[in-house]
Amino acid sequence: MIPPTRPAFCPARKFTAAAALPFVALLAASCGNSFNDTGDAETRAFTHSQGVTEIPVEPQRIVTTTDQNALLPLLELGITPVGSAGIELDGGQIRFRRTDGYDTTSVEPVGPYGAPNLEKIAALNPDVIVGYEYDSDMYDDLSAIAPTVLIQVFDRPLDDALLDFADLAGETDRAEEMQADFRARVDDFLDKLGDRKDTLSISLISQYEPGQFNRVDIGQATGTVMQALDLLRPAPQQGPGDFEDYSIETLGQHDADVVLVFDYSDDEGQRADNPLYNSPVFAELAATKAGQAYVIDGATTVGAAWGKMIAFLDELERILLAEDLRTDVVIEN
């Protein structure tokens, strides 16, 4: 698994599960058929990041290989998978990130995202396995168990990815309603922001390793919202970017009228003081000195769901529409 100190929204580490293949083959033989066999169920072609796969028209037993990037968007659509990978805590327990408010008691943990347990997945007898593009290294192993689709979540607007999840689950109408609500909310926020949009700059960062930090606007809810709002950004955060680690000594280059520090300690079930926000270097930012630096709960605002985008818009509205907000804290080039 990725250590909890790494970006909670970043791709999982590469994993090869070939060692579990003998078990999968044995279990398939004992069942008398192949896990790729969809039996008498009606199927259809589904296009995803790995190509085209035949999946059931109405999947009944879905297993997801990641929590916030597959389990969460299905839960939001009213679909409860039979199993899912999640984040592995220090005691070995599996926690499903970003799923507060949803009933996951019937979802069987199948190990950590990035390295799920193939035996546990196979034992659940899924009719389709759903992951995201960073599961590509184990795609063949997963496909030996059941038809597998990997939906591209990053490097495109999240609302496009969410429509793919809805297509897979047969909930396109519901997702399109959520998309319309999101776009209406963006328009309403921009109307309220008014002329401030032309002079207000904002920075989104988080710390995952001591002495380093990252952008928090690449893909998923935060990136899609920021792309839709098109607000001024510090120079290193302009453009699509990637999951680059920045040295803490360069933090000043990420200064802005408003600086948001995303905290993910709730992913492990315990909110802690944010080390970046409380660091001496952060205290020297113009935004900090102006009282316009804030800690944002990443567990609430980051993840592959319409609700996460709305939650982030709620935070932006609370902060950026304040009457006493200054838009001259830094001078943008």
Side-chain angles (χ1 to χ4, degrees):
M1 61 168 287
I2 297 178
T5 51
R6 292 298 302 165
F9 54 86
C10 271
R13 74 180 185 185
K14 296 183 181 298
F15 170 71
T16 300
L21 284 178
F23 169 84
V24 174
L26 178 61
L27 187 54
S30 68
C31 293
N33 60 8
S34 168
F35 285 103
N36 284 309
D37 183 5
T38 55
D40 296 327
E42 184 181 359
T43 65
R44 65 185 177 96
F46 187 86
T47 302
H48 56 105
S49 68
Q50 295 297 300
V52 180
T53 298
E54 287 289 324
I55 66 169
V57 171
E58 297 182 356
Q60 301 299 310
R61 298 186 62 80
I62 300 174
V63 171
T64 53
T65 62
T66 175
D67 43 12
Q68 66 165 344
N69 290 312
L71 173 63
L72 173 60
L74 290 173
L75 291 172
E76 189 176 49
L77 292 166
I79 306 298
T80 303
V82 296
S84 179
I87 186 172
E88 186 173 24
L89 305 182
D90 289 341
Q93 307 95 326
I94 297 297
R95 177 180 173 87
F96 300 136
R97 298 167 298 163
R98 323 289 160 82
T99 59
D100 289 351
Y102 296 102
D103 184 2
T104 60
T105 54
S106 65
V107 182
E108 183 71 22
V110 296
Y113 72 99
N117 186 308
L118 296 186
E119 296 181 8
K120 290 183 177 180
I121 293 176
L124 291 173
N125 194 25
D127 52 16
V128 65
I129 298 171
V130 183
Y132 69 146
E133 65 266 38
Y134 292 106
D135 291 326
S136 60
D137 279 2
M138 53 181 162
Y139 178 73
D140 290 343
D141 295 341
L142 294 169
S143 296
I145 299 173
T148 299
V149 300
L150 304 184
I151 294 175
Q152 181 182 350
V153 174
F154 293 92
D155 297 327
R156 64 168 173 164
L158 177 60
D159 46 357
D160 290 342
L162 293 177
L163 290 178
D164 281 353
F165 283 104
D167 179 20
L168 179 141
E171 295 289 345
T172 299
D173 289 346
R174 185 170 181 173
E176 288 177 346
E177 291 178 3
M178 288 189 243
Q179 183 181 51
D181 290 343
F182 166 68
R183 290 178 175 174
R185 180 65 185 275
V186 167
D187 291 341
D188 179 67
F189 177 73
L190 288 174
D191 285 343
K192 292 177 180 177
L193 194 61
D195 293 340
R196 279 187 178 181
K197 181 179 184 299
D198 299 327
T199 56
L200 173 66
S201 62
I202 182 170
S203 175
L204 284 69
I205 57 176
S206 188
Q207 185 173 31
Y208 311 111
E209 297 285 358
Q212 298 178 338
F213 66 97
N214 299 74
R215 293 171 57 173
V216 190
D217 64 332
I218 302 171
Q220 289 202 333
T222 51
T224 301
V225 169
M226 294 305 294
Q227 183 177 15
L229 296 178
D230 192 28
L231 300 176
L232 296 176
R233 313 300 303 286
Q237 296 182 25
Q238 295 172 8
D242 55 27
F243 296 107
E244 178 182 356
D245 292 325
Y246 295 97
S247 169
I248 196 73
E249 284 77 19
T250 67
L251 187 59
Q253 299 174 19
H254 293 256
D255 206 353
D257 294 324
V258 173
V259 175
L260 306 181
V261 177
F262 286 74
D263 183 277
Y264 299 100
S265 56
D266 271 354
D267 280 336
E268 299 179 61
Q270 183 177 3
R271 191 66 177 269
D273 290 336
N274 188 277
L276 176 60
Y277 185 82
N278 293 298
S279 69
V281 178
F282 193 85
E284 295 302 312
L285 294 180
T288 306
K289 293 179 178 179
Q292 295 188 172
Y294 305 87
V295 175
I296 302 295
D297 181 12
T300 301
T301 57
V302 176
W306 301 102
K308 302 301 182 182
M309 290 189 274
I310 296 300
F312 183 42
L313 281 168
D314 287 342
E315 291 283 48
L316 291 178
E317 195 164 289
R318 173 180 66 86
I319 294 168
L320 301 187
L321 298 183
E323 290 185 4
D324 59 349
L325 184 79
R326 290 177 53 190
T327 62
D328 60 349
V329 173
V330 300
I331 304 300
E332 291 79 24
N333 294 328

